[in-house]
Amino acid sequence: MFIFMLLFSRQGKLRLQKWYVPLSDKEKKKITRELVQTVLARKPKMCSFLEWRDLKVVYKRYASLYFCCAIEDQDNELITLEIIHRYVELLDKYFGSVCELDIIFNFEKAYFILDEFLLGGEAQETSKKNVLKAIEQADLLQETKRSILKSII
Amino acid sequence: MPAVSKGDGMRGLAVFISDIRNCKSKEAEIKRINKELANIRSKFKGDKALDGYSKKKYVCKLLFIFLLGHDIDFGHMEAVNLLSSNKYTEKQIGYLFISVLVNSNSELIRLINNAIKNDLSSRNPTFMCLALHCIANVGSREMAEAFASEIPRILVAGDTMDSVKQSAALCLLRLYKTSPDLVLMGEWTSRVVHLLNDQHMGVVTAAISLITCLSQKNPDEFKTCVSLAVSRLSRIVSSASTDLQDYTYYFVPAPWLSCKLLRLLQCYPPPEDGAVKGRLVECLETILNKAQEPPKSKKVQHSNAKNAILFEAISLIIHYDSEPNLLVRACNQLGQFLQHRETNLRYLALESMCTLASSEFSHEAVKTHIETVINALKTERDVSVRQRAADLLYAMCDRSNAKQIVAEMLSYLETADYSIREEMVLKVAILAEKYAVDYSWYVDTILNLIRIAGDYVSEEVWYRVIQIVINRDDVQGYAAKTVFEALQAPACHENMVKVGGYILGEFGNLIAGDPRSSPLVQFNLLHSKFHLCSVPTRALLLSAYIKFINLFPETKATIQEVLRCDSQIRNSDVELQQRAVEYLKLSSIASTDVLATVLEEMPPFPERESSILAKLKKKKGPGAVSVTELEDGKRESGELNGGGDRGQDAASTPSPSADLLGIRSSAPVSAAPASAGSLLVDVFSEAGPAAPSGAVNDDGFLRFVCKNNGVLFENQLLQIGIKSEYRQNLGRMYLFYGNKTSVQFASFTTTVNCPGELQSHILQSKPVEPLVEGGAQIQQVLNIECLTDFSDAPLLNIKFRYGGALQNLTLKLPVTINKFFQPTEMASQDFFQRWKQLSQPQQEAQKIFKANHGMDTEVIKAKLLGLGMALLDNVDPNPENYVCAGVIQTKSQQVGCLLRLEPNAQAQMYRLTLRCSKDSVSKRLCELLAQQF
């Protein structure tokens, strides 16, 4: 099970955070601060897994963004790397070659996509098609709503 | 893909985000945010009713501000209002806000739950999913109370859409994790298990996480999932890469589901049904075979997905630990990965091999990779990989390769990363002790350890080397010589000075014959380090000096001179001053005899759990695989009280590892059932008086028949240690009650009951302090007198309040009749003469029983000695047999006892015969002893 997932930039700016266990805001901030530092300090060719405090951490860098997950002890590291990759694929497909700015300006979308893909820290739907279908439906609802608005104006 | 309207759905939000990004400084950002917060507040408070769109926009802005790391204390109500909007996007933002920023405001929770309830019953799948996502994200107890009974229904209903089922499964999982008591599967169990057969792969993927978690908690109820999981796995493994369409990931069919299926199977032992097992073994073989096939794609995603399944399959093989063929294949596969160019694979191979090393089938196969692993330790560029290599070396170490591994670890230590040095030091110290064939090697290793990484050598490590040197006289001379040499180094670590001071103070005489290490040379060498050391080390050195005065009277004048000088006798540190004054006085007024008695060599330390091992366990946390137990009779269960004045150990109570994040905090103690087998009696029962002795478990009690000290009882709250001594018909028992929690125990009371005839055996016990602070230990002394022989043990009842709950516990005190033995030496002739005298049938008790432990001569002898009788050599014509003699001292009479133990190694059986002058004693001793071997 995922314990949390963090997306942060090379400068250490947090772009997305998802927590699958109840923690206080203070704890979350502390973990984020320390883990971001630890991961940013690692060199490019190093291994994607590390033991950090009591946690197994899996991370991967895509362009300027780091995707970083903490998982439970018995969880599979490699499959976690591919969960990260599939999430990146989903963002990429949705935004059309995603970049950091897309996630900054559409943070709520990044959360919605994540919720369709992972729920409660476990994979809910691993098919790219099915996840995107769910998101598209939501967007269609938005589109219709907006066009009504426009027609009123 | 529809043209995505990136954010222009809410222009105001996009503008705000750009503004924040354009802020040049933190101050500017805060200013901009405060302006926005004021704006939103006024909008929310304003008279004009906001339309849904504006509300959504402002709530979204608040969310953004919160995610930037600022506190948000309003807007919850507006977000909740959005939940009941019938516009999807408004609802969606409302739910997102609630998921990220839950507030425990009860009024709000009620409203949120109401909205969720409406959406769940809306029959609109998109709305239902949103509501389920929200429950899964928040997962609070209140939500569990409201929905735990509803969701299983949604999950298994025939007309539920697949996407809703998926969300429902994981939603239920989250609720089960927060409030297992509220999620009752009961009637749904079988239908949930059958979701493994669902047509829709997404449903299976989601449901299996739920099933795995439930199986871990209730394996029996979910047993049927094993055969379903095997057949599902088999279908996936044998499918072509295109069969599963979108569930194929870079030519690997359903990697996530495969991993989860293999993970689920790890909750169970190997399938009993032959056909199922055959099918599973076939799957595992196919997975291993596929690893050898050429890759279908060069993409790393392909190999990662494929290897993820492979590693999970290997975990299952290790979990079963019953198929030697598969274990060896797994080991070979991992061996290939050890040299793979991907760092990730090398890391995982090292990690996985650690567990393989502990299986008897694959231990040898793992050992063949020693050179590769040593090489990894030396050349890997990533510290986390080196750490894994060190762990693996530790795990694969045994007697055959200990010297090589310890040497490699020592040389690695010189350049090791600071973050792992302390752990490395502990590991080296443990391996050196565990596999020491000759103790001079052990001493060398530890001294090297101090030389190389002195700062990381914790007290436990140097205490331990001293304990071992003191307990083994064959190594004392060597140890003295070696520390003496080590101290010659111009700069040596303070820990070296401590060990040197202690050892020369005890055994300096063993090397004093050599003029190069004459008493004065030794003293001057130690004293040359004195001024550079910290106060505790100086105190230790002062004690070494006074020991020198006893060992070498010729140094007396020099040492008295040192003690007398102002920097000692007027030292501002009270401890140092006191030692100097007292030692000076002692050395001037005491006669040589008195001095020799007071400053006698330290007695051997009682055997105990290695304090370093306890420390490593503590560091690693309970359940760490790599910590194997120290064996070889060097270990008994932990002893509470450190012996000796200077080598005093902290009570080695391995506390549960400090859970840094508090994320995986263990279940609250009061809710834990009395689980461990060693618990003596219903620990958590609220019942009043002691349970009847029928319910008293004998395990802990029986361990003390042949020994007097150790831990009698331990659970999550309390540890009870015992130290006892007996002389003739009198005994004294020290009970140490240790509070393992950080919370005070209130109303702590203990009572000792002697059933029936024992009535007056325990003479007195002062009541204990009613409060035991968190982490503290209190002591109680019982004085015991044996009036007549007895067979029932006294009962100790302990009551206290922990966090309001009354804890009540009854233990058998290990006072047994054999404690009052006086050993009697006698020659063969006398023995058999007496043996014949005790020939009445009721005077003899005999038992033939199977060996419960190995039939090691030394262990048997130690136990018989522990029993308290004299072990007589050359008495029995058969040298394999053991005979003992002793007299039990009671106030009313003395009971002579003779014992004969005849082992039969071939049959792994013993025959035990006791003849005593009183028949009840023969019987009781026979019962007690029959369970010891």
Side-chain angles (χ1 to χ4, degrees):
Chain A
M1 193 192 98
F2 277 50
I3 295 166
F4 58 79
M5 184 177 200
L6 304 175
L7 262 66
F8 51 89
S9 70
R10 231 162 17 145
Q11 291 75 34
K13 286 249 185 212
L14 193 59
R15 297 303 181 202
L16 180 141
Q17 46 174 321
K18 187 81 185 176
W19 305 84
Y20 295 104
V21 291
L23 289 171
S24 71
D25 286 342
K26 208 174 139 202
E27 285 169 307
K28 288 179 185 171
K29 279 186 184 161
K30 184 163 184 278
I31 292 171
T32 309
R33 196 174 54 240
E34 292 177 15
L35 186 58
V36 166
Q37 260 178 17
T38 311
V39 170
L40 287 178
R42 290 175 62 86
K43 298 194 185 76
K45 286 276 173 184
M46 283 187 169
C47 129
S48 315
F49 320 126
L50 62 147
E51 269 182 359
W52 184 74
R53 302 195 184 172
D54 282 356
L55 297 174
K56 251 162 111 166
V57 170
V58 176
Y59 72 93
K60 188 160 178 178
R61 185 178 151 185
Y62 288 86
S64 60
L65 268 188
Y66 283 85
F67 289 69
C68 178
C69 311
I71 52 176
E72 291 185 311
D73 202 41
Q74 72 274 12
D75 288 335
N76 189 312
E77 292 95 337
L78 284 174
I79 209 74
T80 307
L81 263 186
E82 295 318 301
I83 292 235
I84 293 179
H85 187 75
R86 173 114 295 177
Y87 182 48
V88 174
E89 284 184 347
L90 288 166
L91 293 172
D92 202 57
K93 189 91 188 204
Y94 179 77
F95 289 109
S97 104
V98 66
C99 67
E100 194 182 336
L101 280 180
D102 290 323
I103 295 174
I104 296 174
F105 279 95
N106 302 279
F107 68 96
E108 79 283 9
K109 286 284 186 320
Y111 278 96
F112 297 147
I113 296 174
L114 187 58
D115 268 355
E116 290 294 336
F117 177 43
L118 290 179
L119 189 60
E122 298 279 1
Q124 175 175 219
E125 176 56 85
T126 58
S127 151
K128 201 154 58 173
K129 268 189 209 148
N130 290 352
V131 174
L132 290 170
K133 205 162 71 192
I135 300 290
E136 276 167 40
Q137 271 169 359
D139 278 334
L140 281 177
L141 290 168
Q142 187 174 14
E143 293 291 323
T144 23
K145 199 209 86 183
R146 206 147 24 81
S147 50
I148 295 168
L149 257 183
K150 274 183 187 152
S151 67
I152 295 170
I153 300 163
Chain B
M1 207 73 254
V4 180
S5 47
K6 293 171 190 147
D8 58 3
M10 288 181 275
R11 240 191 86 73
L13 175 67
V15 170
F16 174 58
I17 294 176
S18 316
D19 282 0
I20 295 287
R21 284 180 51 77
N22 291 333
C23 285
K24 292 275 186 295
S25 65
K26 194 81 194 161
E27 290 71 30
E29 183 184 309
I30 292 174
K31 211 172 144 199
R32 178 69 185 86
I33 285 170
N34 285 338
K35 186 178 151 205
E36 192 64 38
L37 287 174
N39 172 39
I40 299 173
R41 221 181 240 120
S42 73
K43 294 281 189 217
F44 283 168
K45 279 202 184 135
D47 308 329
K48 222 175 81 189
L50 288 174
D51 61 7
Y53 169 78
S54 314
K55 226 182 262 175
K56 175 180 94 171
K57 184 178 72 187
Y58 293 129
V59 165
C60 214
K61 279 184 183 176
L62 286 179
L63 191 56
F64 182 79
I65 295 171
F66 176 77
L67 290 171
L68 279 178
H70 303 269
D71 293 333
I72 295 294
D73 53 6
F74 69 103
H76 299 79
M77 191 47 94
E78 285 73 16
V80 173
N81 285 341
L82 286 176
L83 296 184
S84 44
S85 161
N86 49 11
K87 294 201 179 86
Y88 180 78
T89 50
E90 288 169 18
K91 200 186 262 300
Q92 199 182 21
I93 294 290
Y95 273 125
L96 180 61
F97 185 93
I98 300 297
S99 304
V100 177
L101 267 139
V102 245
N103 190 304
S104 56
N105 180 326
S106 61
E107 182 59 18
L108 222 47
I109 293 276
R110 206 177 50 78
L111 292 171
I112 296 169
N113 280 356
N114 244 340
I116 292 176
K117 198 162 277 165
N118 288 336
D119 282 335
L120 282 184
S121 51
S122 68
R123 308 193 65 78
N124 173 339
T126 4
F127 286 7
M128 286 173 87
C129 280
L130 273 185
L132 289 168
H133 291 181
C134 179
I135 304 175
N137 282 325
V138 176
S140 65
R141 177 117 193 132
E142 290 84 357
M143 288 197 174
E145 276 162 4
F147 304 111
S149 53
E150 172 68 14
I151 295 170
R153 216 185 309 276
I154 298 177
L155 176 59
V156 298
D159 56 349
T160 306
M161 296 267 294
D162 289 328
S163 59
V164 178
K165 271 191 196 169
Q166 286 165 275
S167 300
L170 294 175
C171 183
L172 197 55
L173 171 61
R174 175 66 194 265
L175 293 185
Y176 184 75
K177 287 198 169 163
T178 23
S179 318
D181 54 315
L182 295 177
V183 179
L184 303 168
M185 294 313 292
E187 45 179 326
W188 311 114
T189 304
S190 130
R191 295 173 71 181
V192 169
V193 171
H194 277 86
L195 288 173
L196 286 176
N197 265 342
D198 202 284
Q199 298 256 309
H200 191 280
M201 292 281 273
V203 172
V204 190
T205 308
I208 194 167
S209 298
L210 173 67
I211 295 168
T212 306
C213 178
L214 291 169
S215 298
Q216 278 164 347
K217 299 283 158 55
N218 329 280
D220 284 341
E221 287 162 47
F222 284 83
K223 231 177 9 211
T224 45
C225 70
V226 173
S227 59
L228 292 177
V230 170
S231 64
R232 189 95 214 191
L233 179 68
S234 161
R235 270 180 281 156
I236 296 174
V237 168
S238 56
S239 64
S241 55
T242 49
D243 289 357
L244 302 174
Q245 293 158 358
D246 209 33
Y247 289 92
T248 295
Y249 180 81
Y250 292 86
F251 303 101
V252 182
W256 287 284
L257 183 52
S258 305
C259 284
K260 289 193 170 211
L261 286 164
L262 289 162
R263 174 90 217 119
L264 169 62
L265 291 170
Q266 287 170 57
C267 305
Y268 289 93
E272 283 155 22
D273 181 332
V276 177
K277 185 164 182 200
R279 207 163 169 198
L280 177 57
V281 169
E282 218 171 274
C283 286
L284 294 172
E285 279 171 346
T286 314
I287 293 171
L288 285 167
N289 291 340
K290 278 190 181 169
Q292 299 299 330
E293 288 170 11
K296 292 196 178 74
S297 153
K298 283 205 175 105
K299 288 251 165 67
V300 67
Q301 283 76 27
H302 171 71
S303 71
N304 277 352
K306 195 166 127 179
N307 291 328
I309 300 174
L310 178 63
F311 274 105
E312 208 57 63
I314 291 176
S315 294
L316 181 62
I317 293 169
I318 296 172
H319 167 76
Y320 286 161
D321 197 15
S322 61
E323 301 281 332
N325 173 34
L326 289 176
L327 280 163
V328 171
R329 279 192 71 182
C331 186
N332 293 339
Q333 182 61 54
L334 295 177
Q336 286 183 18
F337 285 154
L338 285 184
Q339 318 222 31
H340 203 280
R341 60 187 167 76
E342 279 268 331
T343 316
N344 288 346
L345 284 180
R346 295 198 302 276
Y347 175 96
L348 293 174
L350 288 165
E351 184 181 60
S352 194
M353 253 195 191
C354 259
T355 37
L356 268 181
S358 53
S359 162
E360 53 168 324
F361 300 113
S362 47
H363 183 77
E364 288 304 315
V366 170
K367 274 168 62 185
T368 57
H369 299 287
I370 185 167
E371 296 302 334
T372 323
V373 183
I374 287 173
N375 198 35
L377 186 65
K378 285 180 179 160
T379 58
E380 281 291 349
R381 280 187 296 180
D382 184 346
V383 51
S384 37
V385 186
R386 291 196 296 271
Q387 163 98 61
R388 288 287 85 82
D391 285 349
L392 178 54
L393 282 179
Y394 178 76
M396 66 161 69
C397 191
D398 63 16
R399 221 170 267 290
S400 70
N401 55 20
K403 284 201 175 174
Q404 185 188 7
I405 287 179
V406 166
E408 292 294 348
M409 285 173 116
L410 271 177
S411 78
Y412 172 59
L413 250 182
E414 307 209 29
T415 54
D417 311 75
Y418 297 110
S419 55
I420 63 173
R421 280 197 185 180
E422 189 182 352
E423 198 186 317
M424 290 286 297
V425 166
L426 289 175
K427 285 183 165 163
V428 170
I430 288 169
L431 292 179
E433 179 182 343
K434 189 170 172 186
Y435 298 115
V437 189
D438 63 296
Y439 278 83
S440 50
W441 172 71
Y442 170 75
V443 170
D444 283 342
T445 306
I446 302 296
L447 293 185
N448 261 329
L449 209 51
I450 296 175
R451 196 173 49 73
I452 295 169
D455 282 344
Y456 299 88
V457 171
S458 54
E459 288 183 336
E460 286 83 353
V461 173
W462 73 262
Y463 286 173
R464 189 67 188 158
V465 68
I466 284 172
Q467 282 171 17
I468 285 178
V469 169
I470 289 195
N471 287 12
R472 305 200 57 102
D473 31 9
D474 50 336
V475 76
Q476 289 159 357
Y478 181 79
K481 182 167 159 282
T482 325
V483 282
F484 179 77
E485 280 161 9
L487 286 173
Q488 309 278 346
C492 68
H493 195 272
E494 188 161 336
N495 280 334
M496 188 69 90
V497 180
K498 289 178 185 164
V499 176
Y502 200 112
I503 288 185
L504 292 180
E506 294 292 333
F507 308 114
N509 55 329
L510 299 176
I511 54 167
D514 187 329
R516 283 166 301 175
S517 53
S518 70
L520 262 180
V521 176
Q522 286 184 40
F523 171 74
N524 286 333
L525 181 60
L526 279 180
H527 200 55
S528 69
K529 317 280 180 194
F530 188 90
H531 303 280
L532 299 170
C533 291
S534 63
V535 169
T537 308
R538 286 196 219 175
L540 186 152
L541 285 176
L542 289 180
S543 295
Y545 297 169
I546 184 77
K547 288 228 161 191
F548 266 46
I549 293 186
N550 175 44
L551 287 180
F552 317 115
E554 67 266 38
T555 60
K556 185 170 171 178
T558 320
I559 291 175
Q560 281 183 334
E561 194 64 36
V562 168
L563 292 175
R564 201 176 289 124
C565 87
D566 276 356
S567 63
Q568 311 299 351
I569 210 156
R570 292 185 206 283
N571 196 295
S572 60
D573 184 272
V574 183
E575 177 68 30
L576 289 181
Q577 191 187 78
Q578 187 177 356
R579 286 197 191 205
V581 171
E582 286 178 4
Y583 291 161
L584 183 61
K585 208 70 190 160
L586 181 67
S587 67
S588 31
I589 57 171
S591 69
T592 335
D593 283 355
V594 171
L595 215 52
T597 318
V598 174
L599 301 170
E600 203 187 353
E601 191 180 303
M602 288 296 293
F605 287 85
E607 285 297 343
R608 68 179 68 183
E609 175 173 30
S610 160
S611 44
I612 7 179
L613 195 64
K615 165 125 181 181
L616 185 66
K617 277 183 193 160
K618 198 165 153 181
K619 238 180 121 58
K620 279 281 189 176
V625 249
S626 53
V627 182
T628 42
E629 294 192 343
L630 269 190
E631 294 148 2
D632 313 336
K634 282 186 201 134
R635 201 184 75 99
E636 275 183 46
S637 55
E639 153 112 358
L640 272 174
N641 194 12
D645 54 353
R646 286 166 289 172
Q648 200 148 43
D649 262 349
S652 55
T653 354
S655 70
S657 76
D659 185 352
L660 287 165
L661 295 177
I663 282 177
R664 295 176 214 166
S665 56
S666 52
V669 177
S670 55
S675 53
S678 60
L679 296 200
L680 294 176
V681 125
D682 48 342
V683 182
F684 296 102
S685 81
E686 292 277 319
S693 60
V696 177
N697 185 331
D698 274 356
D699 288 356
F701 168 77
L702 284 169
R703 280 190 287 116
F704 287 86
V705 172
C706 295
K707 66 173 187 176
N708 290 333
N709 305 328
V711 174
L712 175 65
F713 172 82
E714 181 157 16
N715 66 11
Q716 288 142 306
L717 304 177
L718 178 70
Q719 186 193 51
I720 304 176
I722 282 196
K723 218 173 141 80
S724 45
E725 53 201 28
Y726 294 90
R727 204 167 169 181
Q728 305 208 315
N729 72 325
L730 298 176
R732 180 172 293 160
M733 179 176 276
Y734 299 87
L735 290 160
F736 301 90
Y737 304 96
N739 180 347
K740 290 170 65 179
T741 69
S742 51
V743 182
Q744 188 187 60
F745 293 163
S747 329
F748 193 90
T749 52
T750 65
T751 39
V752 178
N753 297 305
C754 303
E757 46 187 331
L758 265 180
Q759 215 45 270
S760 53
H761 278 214
I762 308 283
L763 290 179
Q764 62 173 109
S765 55
K766 266 192 241 153
V768 289
E769 293 291 321
L771 292 180
V772 188
E773 295 298 334
Q777 191 188 67
I778 56 164
Q779 182 185 339
Q780 184 180 27
V781 186
L782 304 179
N783 288 319
I784 301 162
E785 182 176 15
C786 180
L787 302 177
T788 173
D789 71 282
F790 61 96
S791 43
D792 288 332
L795 297 173
L796 171 70
N797 179 252
I798 300 152
K799 284 191 194 131
F800 58 93
R801 290 199 166 272
Y802 168 73
L806 181 68
Q807 310 287 337
N808 184 356
L809 134 97
T810 304
L811 307 168
K812 268 192 185 181
L813 274 181
V815 181
T816 44
I817 183 71
N818 64 292
K819 300 293 180 198
F820 304 95
F821 257 125
Q822 289 282 106
T824 320
E825 295 288 345
M826 56 181 80
S828 177
Q829 206 182 348
D830 296 340
F831 182 85
F832 284 106
Q833 195 186 350
R834 286 174 207 221
W835 185 262
K836 278 185 202 123
Q837 281 167 1
L838 297 168
S839 59
Q840 289 172 32
Q842 64 271 28
Q843 286 176 329
E844 180 180 289
Q846 190 173 71
K847 255 201 177 136
I848 297 173
F849 54 90
K850 201 141 187 78
N852 286 323
H853 309 283
M855 299 178 86
D856 183 72
T857 320
E858 291 308 313
V859 176
I860 296 174
K861 279 188 178 165
K863 284 191 176 162
L864 289 171
L865 286 172
L867 182 69
M869 301 175 87
L871 182 61
L872 306 176
D873 287 329
N874 306 323
V875 167
D876 200 292
N878 180 351
E880 300 290 307
N881 294 347
Y882 306 88
V883 289
C884 303
V887 177
I888 290 178
Q889 309 274 348
T890 74
K891 195 178 180 189
S892 55
Q893 67 179 129
Q894 298 191 337
V895 185
C897 305
L898 301 174
L899 172 151
R900 192 174 189 200
L901 180 70
E902 299 159 89
N904 178 341
Q906 209 163 19
Q908 290 286 304
M909 303 280 283
Y910 291 101
R911 180 163 68 192
L912 171 71
T913 317
L914 273 142
R915 288 190 178 183
C916 306
S917 56
K918 195 166 178 191
D919 28 324
S920 53
V921 175
S922 304
K923 232 177 100 212
R924 180 60 185 155
L925 282 175
C926 196
E927 284 165 12
L928 284 173
L929 271 176
Q931 297 169 69
Q932 299 297 321
F933 297 100

